[in-house]
């Protein structure tokens, strides 16, 4: 008898066909499984999910051995809890580095050079009526502070090297062998930077890391670009800072209560907004879905996924 896999949400491209030799596949949605007592899924040993596996979901599945999560970020997966029950968690890093880094550079340039505003300026006829658009700010010669120099942060730093700006970084610990200047103190880095790129993992450890002090230190000409999680920035404090002119501009791919975006942000000309699309290309999303499959296969064949999250390292035999 084959093992049972529960797929939460719609994977596109679909992954069920690729796994039907290994598992009997059940489908559910986030809302459905949240409301269910789990009785129908007592035999489920593996879950494929879009970053969603809270503690109460894990506790509904007594036979669970492995959670394969789509995305590099797994702040919605109770990984410590899973590890404490001997359940492994896999995620999909690396394959999205290029696209997320490219999106970051795009959003940075679009925000500093006011791409969206300029597009509106042309389309609305304002150019013809009012003449040249106001000047914008250059990235060249500026200091860009990267908050979180992980795999994607490093890809961003590498791509920034052709823009003639100085890259510095903040993370919990200094990284050996990195040429960029390290700041252990985020406020100090923000004072020395013109731009902050936020690309650190979400979750309780980074909740509201970018607070009023950081934004004030970045200052009225400063720009924030966020490709990590909305929760990493104090969103209300950012709205106040932007509207009071204490912060210059923001390029935001992620928000505190997605897909809800505060209306006031939508009205600001110094803000560029995206609907959480850092990795959202056909190529990268297909590679991420494939990694969800490959992590499950590796777990079944070799006892651990290709990309095991650090919380579960202790489970390796
Ligand atoms: C995806 C992401 O949008 O990988 C991540 O952590 O934020 C994105 O690439 C997300 O995983 C979709 O569920």
């Amino acid at each position: 008898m084959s093992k049972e896999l529960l797929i939460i949400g719609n994977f596109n491209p679909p992954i069920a066909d690729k796994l039907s030799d290994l598992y009997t596949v059940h489908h559910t949605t986030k809302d459905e499984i949240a409301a269910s007592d789990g009785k129908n899924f007592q035999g489920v040993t593996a879950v494929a999910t879009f970053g969603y596996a809270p503690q109460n979901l894990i506790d509904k599945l007594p036979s669970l051995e492995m959670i394969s999560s789509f995305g590099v970020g797994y702040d919605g997966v109770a990984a410590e809890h899973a590890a404490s029950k001997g359940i492994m968690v896999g995620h999909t890093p690396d394959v999205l580095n290029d696209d997320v880094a490219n999106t970051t550079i795009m959003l940075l340039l679009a925000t500093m050079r006011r791409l969206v505003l300029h597009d509106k300026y042309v389309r609305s006829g304002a150019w013809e009526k009012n003449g040249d658009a106001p000047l914008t700010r250059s990235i060249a010669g500026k200091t860009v502070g990267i908050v979180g120099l992980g795999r994607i942060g490093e890809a961003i730093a590498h791509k920034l090297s052709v823009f003639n700006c100085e890259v510095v970084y903040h993370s919990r610990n200094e990284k050996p062998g990195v040429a960029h200047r390290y700041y252990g103190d985020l406020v100090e880095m923000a004072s020395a930077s013109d731009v902050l790129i936020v690309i650190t993992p979400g979750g309780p450890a980074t909740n509201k890391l970018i607070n009023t002090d950081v934004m004030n230190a970045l200052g009225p000409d400063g720009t924030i670009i966020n490709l990590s999680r909305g929760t990493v920035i104090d969103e209300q404090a950012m709205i106040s800072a932007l509207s009071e002119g204490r912060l210059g501009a923001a390029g935001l791919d992620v928000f505190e209560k997605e897909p809800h975006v505060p209306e006031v942000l939508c009205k600001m000309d110094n803000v560029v907004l995206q609907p959480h699309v850092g990795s959202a290309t056909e190529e990268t999303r297909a590679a991420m879905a494939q990694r969800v499959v490959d992590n499950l296969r590796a777990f079944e064949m070799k006892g651990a996924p290709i990309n095991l999250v650090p919380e579960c390292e202790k489970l390796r035999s």
Side-chain angles (χ1 to χ4, degrees):
M1 219 174 69
S2 63
K3 295 174 103 176
E4 292 180 42
L5 168 71
L6 182 62
I7 299 181
I8 307 173
N10 286 323
F11 279 83
N12 191 13
I15 61 166
D17 298 349
K18 300 188 178 189
L19 290 164
S20 52
D21 58 327
L22 277 182
Y23 300 105
T24 301
V25 178
H26 304 279
H27 291 270
T28 188
T29 63
K30 229 160 129 171
D31 290 348
E32 216 175 79
I33 186 74
S36 128
D37 57 11
K39 272 207 185 96
N40 296 337
F41 304 126
Q42 297 298 289
V44 162
T45 59
V47 158
T49 178
F50 289 94
Y52 174 79
Q55 183 163 334
N56 63 5
L57 180 141
I58 292 171
D59 290 341
K60 284 175 191 173
L61 307 172
S63 310
L64 194 58
E65 298 169 352
M66 163 76 193
I67 298 168
S68 189
S69 184
F70 181 98
V72 62
Y74 54 94
D75 42 306
V77 176
E80 286 286 4
H81 183 65
S84 74
K85 297 183 97 174
I87 299 164
M88 286 199 174
V89 177
H91 65 145
T92 67
D94 302 326
V95 293
L96 43 55
N97 293 355
D98 260 320
D99 263 330
V100 178
N102 289 347
T103 309
T104 305
I105 305 287
M106 173 179 76
L107 196 52
L108 170 61
L109 291 175
T111 306
M112 290 191 70
R113 301 303 308 273
R114 300 286 196 260
L115 174 72
V116 177
L117 199 65
H118 286 168
D119 182 85
K120 272 193 218 147
Y121 201 74
V122 175
R123 287 173 199 252
S124 66
W127 188 20
E128 214 165 5
K129 199 164 141 230
N130 304 334
D132 287 346
L135 298 181
T136 62
R137 304 302 296 250
S138 176
I139 175 90
K142 301 293 191 300
T143 299
V144 179
I146 299 182
V147 182
L149 201 71
R151 295 172 259 220
I152 303 175
E154 280 190 357
I156 295 168
H158 174 69
K159 286 172 197 276
L160 279 173
S161 64
V162 296
F163 288 96
N164 293 331
C165 48
E166 192 189 342
V167 174
V168 298
Y169 76 103
H170 165 80
S171 54
R172 261 177 307 176
N173 301 305
E174 186 165 7
K175 295 190 79 175
V178 170
H180 308 295
R181 177 166 178 186
Y182 171 71
Y183 284 89
D185 185 317
L186 179 53
V187 173
E188 200 188 314
M189 182 173 86
S191 299
S193 299
D194 302 286
V195 175
L196 279 193
I197 291 180
V198 186
I199 193 68
T200 190
T206 56
N207 191 43
K208 294 189 173 40
L209 178 69
I210 311 295
N211 57 21
T212 299
D213 290 346
V214 175
M215 291 182 242
N216 287 347
L218 190 58
D221 291 327
T223 298
I224 287 183
I225 305 296
N226 189 9
L227 268 285
S228 65
R229 288 290 183 261
T231 52
V232 179
I233 297 186
D234 183 338
E235 204 167 71
Q236 280 313 313
M238 179 179 63
I239 290 170
S240 304
L242 285 166
S243 51
E244 291 162 18
R246 284 181 286 110
L247 177 65
L252 306 170
D253 184 55
V254 287
F255 304 87
E256 210 172 301
K257 296 194 176 95
E258 290 173 16
H260 172 74
V261 176
E263 213 181 314
V264 54
L265 278 177
C266 300
K267 294 194 174 130
M268 290 180 179
D269 280 343
N270 50 349
V271 166
V272 178
L273 306 171
Q274 294 201 135
H276 197 151
V277 288
S279 66
T281 63
E282 292 195 9
E283 295 85 349
T284 291
R285 286 294 168 87
M288 290 164 75
Q290 187 59 46
R291 186 56 60 90
V292 169
V293 170
D294 293 343
N295 276 337
L296 285 165
R297 283 198 176 284
F299 172 75
E300 300 299 348
M301 307 302 169
K302 299 178 191 159
I306 300 169
N307 303 111
L308 182 66
V309 303
E311 290 86 339
C312 296
E313 272 301 334
K314 55 190 171 232
L315 301 179
R316 272 190 207 277
S317 49

